C-alpha cells in the first residue's frame, strides 16, 4: 500500500525552504536611496554578495557585463545574485557616478542625489543579501545571475517591506541592525516565493522541485531523515512512483541524481553540526548515516576540501573574527 504523502500540500513542502534559510544564516541591509534627475548614470562594482535594487519611481536601464541591458519600469525589483558589476542609467552618454563605498559600517541609509538638477525623475533603493554559510544548499547559486520581478496584483508586500526598511534605517535606534537583517530575511523569502511560482517544470533545481507533488515530498523525507539509507525503490514507493519513473523525474527536476542529492544533504547537515555543536565526530558521522568515522571523514574531505576537525576549527575561527569585526563596526558608528 502506497503512503499518502503524495497528497501533501505545498505548505508542508515549503518547510524545506524554511529549514535551509534558517541554516544558511541569511542577512542583509539597505545601503543607499538614490534620487536621480535626468540625465543620470550609475556604476556599481563587483561585490561578494547579492545586491538588490527597487525602482520605486520612474524608469531605468540596467546595464550588465557583456553588453546585456534590461529595461526597468516603476515597481520593478531586481537581484544581482552573484554580485557582478553593473550599472543603471537614463542616458548612457551621461558621465557615470561610481558608487564605490558599498561596504559602509553604518546601518543608516545613505541618500545619493545624482543627475540633472530638475526634480528627481527616478528613485531607487539599493541593498544586499548576505549568506554566512554559502556552502549550505547553495540557495543563491540556484537563482539566475539576474532575477527581475515585476509588480503583481498582490505586489503590495514588496513595497510594504521596503518602506518599513527605509523607516528603520532613517534613525539610529537600539536593535537596528537586527531589525534590518530580519526584514531582509522576509524580503528574500518573498522574492524566492515569487520566483518559485514563476518557474516551469524542470527549472530552478531543488527550489523548483519542492512544488512538485511527487519530488517535493521525497525531498522533504530526505531533509527530515538524511541518515536513512534511502533507495530509489523506497522513496519512489513512498511518493507513489515506480523506481525508474521516480529516478528519471528526480534527476530531471532537481538536476542531479537522488543518490548525489542525499550525499550533499548529509554533508550539509554534518557541516552544520560541526559548526554549531560540540558533538564528537564519530557521533556526527552516525547522525548523518555513516557507520564509521573514517568513512565519513573521507567523504567529508572530498566534499568540503578539509577534514571534519579542520572544518570545525576554521568555522569557529571565522565566527570569532566576524564577531570582532562587528564589534569594531559598532565602535566606529
Amino acid at each position: 500500500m502506497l503512503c499518502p504523502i503524495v497528497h501533501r500540500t505545498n505548505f508542508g513542502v515549503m518547510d524545506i525552504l524554511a529549514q535551509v534559510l534558517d541554516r544558511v544564516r541569511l542577512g542583509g541591509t539597505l545601503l543607499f536611496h538614490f534620487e536621480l534627475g535626468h540625465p543620470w548614470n550609475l556604476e556599481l562594482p563587483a561585490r561578494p554578495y547579492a545586491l538588490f535594487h527597487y525602482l520605486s519611481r520612474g524608469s531605468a536601464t540596467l546595464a550588465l557585463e557583456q553588453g546585456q541591458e534590461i529595461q526597468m519600469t516603476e515597481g520593478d525589483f531586481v537581484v544581482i545574485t552573484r554580485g557582478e558589476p553593473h550599472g543603471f542609467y537614463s542616458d548612457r552618454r551621461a558621465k557615470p557616478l561610481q558608487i564605490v563605498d558599498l561596504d559602509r559600517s553604518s546601518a543608516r541609509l545613505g541618500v545619493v542625489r545624482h543627475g540633472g538638477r530638475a526634480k528627481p525623475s527616478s528613485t531607487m533603493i539599493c541593498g544586499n543579501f548576505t549568506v554566512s554559510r554559502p556552502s549550505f544548499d547553495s540557495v543563491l547559486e540556484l537563482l539566475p545571475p539576474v532575477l527581475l520581478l515585476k509588480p503583481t496584483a498582490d505586489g503590495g508586500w514588496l513595497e510594504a517591506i521596503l518602506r518599513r526598511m527605509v523607516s528603520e534605517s532613517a534613525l539610529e535606534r537600539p536593535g537596528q541592525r537586527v531589525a534590518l537583517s530580519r526584514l531582509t530575511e522576509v524580503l528574500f523569502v518573498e522574492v524566492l516565493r515569487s520566483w518559485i511560482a514563476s518557474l516551469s517544470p524542470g527549472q530552478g533545481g531543488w527550489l523548483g522541485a519542492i512544488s512538485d507533488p511527487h519530488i517535493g515530498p521525497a525531498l522533504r523525507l530526505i531533509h527530515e531523515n538524511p541518515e536513512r539509507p534511502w533507495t530509489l525503490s523506497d522513496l519512489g514507493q513512498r511518493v507513489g512512483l515506480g523506481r525508474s519513473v521516480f529516478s528519471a523525474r528526480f534527476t530531471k527536476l532537481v538536476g542531479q541524481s537522488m543518490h548525489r542529492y542525499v550525499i550533499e544533504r548529509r554533508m550539509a547537515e554534518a557541516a552544520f553540526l560541526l559548526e554549531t555543536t560540540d558533538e564528537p565526530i564519530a557521533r556526527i558521522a552516525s547522525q548523518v548515516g555513516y557507520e564509521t568515522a573514517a568513512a565519513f571523514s573521507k567523504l567529508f574531505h572530498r566534499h568540503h576540501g578539509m577534514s571534519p576537525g579542520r572544518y570545525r576549527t576554521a568555522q569557529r575561527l571565522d565566527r570569532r573574527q566576524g564577531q570582532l569585526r562587528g564589534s569594531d563596526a559598532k565602535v566606529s558608528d
Side-chain angles (χ1 to χ4, degrees), residues 206-275:
W206 67 263
L207 277 175
I210 60 178
S211 298
D212 183 80
H214 297 282
I215 303 306
L219 290 172
R220 188 181 184 205
L221 285 168
I222 294 170
H223 276 251
E224 289 177 343
N225 302 284
E227 79 286 353
R228 290 194 57 170
W230 294 111
T231 66
L232 289 169
S233 298
D234 184 19
L235 271 178
Q237 184 180 37
R238 285 171 175 264
V239 301
L241 294 177
R243 181 183 183 279
S244 59
V245 173
F246 172 73
S247 176
R249 189 178 184 89
F250 191 102
T251 301
K252 178 183 178 182
L253 296 185
V254 178
Q256 59 184 317
S257 69
M258 184 274 289
H259 176 69
R260 168 87 311 206
Y261 189 86
V262 169
I263 291 176
E264 291 196 358
R265 182 74 211 107
R266 287 176 170 181
M267 293 300 101
E269 180 70 12
F272 178 77
L273 292 172
L274 285 166
E275 183 178 348

Side-chain angles (χ1 to χ4, degrees), residues 48-178:
Y49 46 66
L51 282 167
F52 65 80
H53 307 278
Y54 175 63
L55 190 65
S56 51
R57 191 201 325 175
S59 60
T61 299
L62 167 61
L64 303 160
E65 288 190 305
Q66 287 84 46
Q68 182 186 2
E69 294 187 343
I70 297 175
Q71 300 303 314
M72 295 179 62
T73 56
E74 186 170 311
D76 284 358
F77 185 89
V78 66
V79 184
I80 311 298
T81 60
R82 314 286 193 271
E84 296 174 352
H86 56 286
F88 296 90
Y89 65 81
S90 68
D91 185 342
R92 68 186 314 167
R93 294 168 298 182
K95 182 179 179 180
L97 173 65
Q98 296 183 335
I99 308 299
V100 295
D101 188 23
L102 287 182
D103 301 305
R104 298 168 305 127
S105 61
S106 175
R108 291 189 295 279
L109 187 64
V111 178
V112 176
R113 295 177 177 88
H114 171 60
R117 295 183 179 182
K119 184 178 179 180
S121 58
S122 299
T123 55
M124 185 169 65
I125 295 168
C126 167
N128 66 12
F129 295 126
T130 59
V131 177
S132 297
R133 298 188 185 106
S135 63
F136 278 75
D137 298 88
S138 306
V139 178
L140 289 174
E141 291 180 11
L142 290 172
L143 300 176
V146 180
L147 176 58
L148 176 65
L149 298 179
K150 291 284 185 179
T152 59
D154 62 345
W157 63 263
L158 181 61
E159 187 175 356
I161 296 172
L162 288 165
R163 191 185 302 120
R164 183 70 188 90
M165 292 179 73
V166 170
S167 64
E168 182 64 40
S169 298
L171 296 172
E172 188 170 5
R173 295 185 292 174
Q176 184 184 55
R177 290 178 181 275
V178 175

